[in-house]
Amino acid sequence: MSILINESTRLVVQGITGRDGYFHAMKMKAYGTNVVAGTSPGKGGSMVENIPVFNTMYEAVDQTGANTSIVFVPAPFAADAIMEAADAGIGLIICITEGIPTLDAIKAYNFVQQKGAVLIGPNSPGVISPGKSMTGIMPSHIFTRGGVGIISRSGTLTYEVVSHLTAKGLGQSTAIGIGGDKVVGLYFRELLEQFEKDKETQSIVLIGEIGGNAEERAAEFIRWQITKPVVVFIAGQYAPFDKEMGHAGAIISGGRGTAAEKIAAFEAAGVTVARDPSMIPKLIIENQLKKIMV
């Protein structure tokens, strides 16, 4: 098993004729992801490397049976693209686009909720279940199949942690970049719950960062609801107070949301916190051994 995506994923690339959409569609196809369609208004009826292009998501879903979409549409139009996918019946929508206006993101998020679909992102690097499917912009060669589930607010830190895990022989079940914006779809709690139920996932790595209180809420959820070993890393431990950070969600407001507060919340909940990403493989192995000995 894995969560969110697998061999049954049938992917539509929204914005496939754009530079980024085309480049990453080819990467995903080469990885083995079942890319069944692309969309680009005005270019319906054409083909991109044997992938049919449709004008609308309604046509793409009707004619290909697609169940997942990935959004490479420019920011001013991305919210509409997300809502069109949900309205067309797509169950999982992954939005790579960054810079979507917050009010647009709120509108799209609420619409997706009403349609019963699932949104990952915006500003997400995507989702990968190694050996099964890759829907995103991740460097797939560093991933290997295994039992560690990863949830992260940071794309590049995800890659660093995965490199350490793979080097130590610890493969991954599914890795998800939830995005660093203020408004995103699935967050820590929902994904922790899915990993807890996933039989392939033996341990979980959670990569948080400064800003907001999602990590503090995740700590309480892990304390009471998660039985699998969890290792956490919080980015921004040395971030200066007077510097603007890259992620829109990494905002410390009124002195709240600091790395120190988040680390304290996890440690109070009995969750192991790594002070450096390179420590994570060792801490996972130690936690797994503790669980076996209990």
Side-chain angles (χ1 to χ4, degrees):
M1 293 177 64
S2 54
I3 69 170
L4 298 176
I5 61 173
N6 53 39
E7 299 91 337
S8 299
T9 294
R10 297 177 62 80
L11 184 69
V12 180
V13 180
Q14 294 181 257
I16 194 170
T17 58
R19 181 195 62 183
D20 294 342
Y22 173 82
F23 178 81
H24 290 290
M26 295 305 103
K27 291 285 187 181
M28 291 184 283
K29 185 179 178 183
Y31 188 76
T33 304
N34 190 13
V35 182
V36 298
T39 61
S40 185
K43 297 184 179 178
S46 62
M47 300 285 284
V48 171
E49 304 293 341
N50 293 321
I51 301 170
V53 179
F54 298 90
N55 287 320
T56 70
M57 283 299 294
Y58 305 100
E59 295 171 290
V61 172
D62 181 61
Q63 296 186 37
T64 68
N67 54 24
T68 302
S69 83
I70 186 163
V71 178
F72 287 97
V73 175
F77 315 107
D80 284 343
I82 292 170
M83 291 187 285
E84 183 187 345
D87 199 43
I90 291 290
L92 173 63
I93 304 160
I94 301 161
C95 184
I96 305 299
T97 307
E98 61 179 313
I100 298 177
T102 300
L103 290 178
D104 287 359
I106 293 172
K107 182 179 178 182
Y109 173 84
N110 287 331
F111 188 85
V112 168
Q113 293 286 99
Q114 292 169 14
K115 291 292 179 180
V118 168
L119 174 65
I120 301 292
N123 196 11
S124 163
V127 182
I128 183 170
S129 290
K132 297 180 181 177
S133 187
M134 193 269 282
T135 56
I137 59 175
M138 298 167 164
S140 57
H141 64 280
I142 65 173
F143 292 83
T144 187
R145 191 165 178 168
V148 181
I150 301 171
I151 314 167
S152 176
R153 286 175 70 180
S154 167
T156 51
L157 266 175
T158 304
Y159 312 151
E160 182 177 350
V161 169
V162 167
S163 294
H164 289 303
L165 292 170
T166 297
K168 296 297 183 182
L170 294 169
Q172 305 86 44
S173 55
T174 301
I176 305 137
I178 60 176
D181 281 3
K182 293 179 70 174
V183 178
V184 296
L186 291 192
Y187 228 112
F188 293 130
R189 177 172 172 161
E190 297 94 334
L191 293 167
L192 284 165
E193 192 170 23
Q194 292 197 33
F195 274 135
E196 175 72 10
K197 295 176 181 175
D198 179 38
K199 292 181 180 178
E200 189 173 329
T201 301
Q202 299 167 350
S203 300
I204 303 168
V205 174
L206 187 154
I207 304 170
E209 63 183 11
I210 57 175
N213 65 354
E215 287 81 0
E216 289 87 338
R217 289 187 282 118
E220 283 305 298
F221 187 75
I222 294 168
R223 184 204 294 260
W224 301 111
Q225 303 293 333
I226 302 298
T227 63
K228 297 179 179 179
V230 180
V231 175
V232 169
F233 175 75
I234 301 296
Q237 295 177 42
Y238 304 103
F241 284 104
D242 58 346
K243 294 292 183 183
E244 182 177 340
M245 309 304 291
H247 280 177
I251 297 173
I252 296 175
S253 178
R256 303 299 302 272
T258 65
E261 286 181 324
K262 294 173 185 295
I263 290 170
F266 281 113
E267 291 181 337
V271 180
T272 303
V273 178
R275 303 294 170 168
D276 183 278
S278 65
M279 298 172 59
I280 291 175
K282 177 175 179 288
L283 294 173
I284 287 176
I285 293 170
E286 289 177 355
N287 283 352
Q288 288 177 339
L289 289 173
K290 287 179 186 175
K291 187 172 178 61
I292 292 171
M293 295 173 68
V294 171

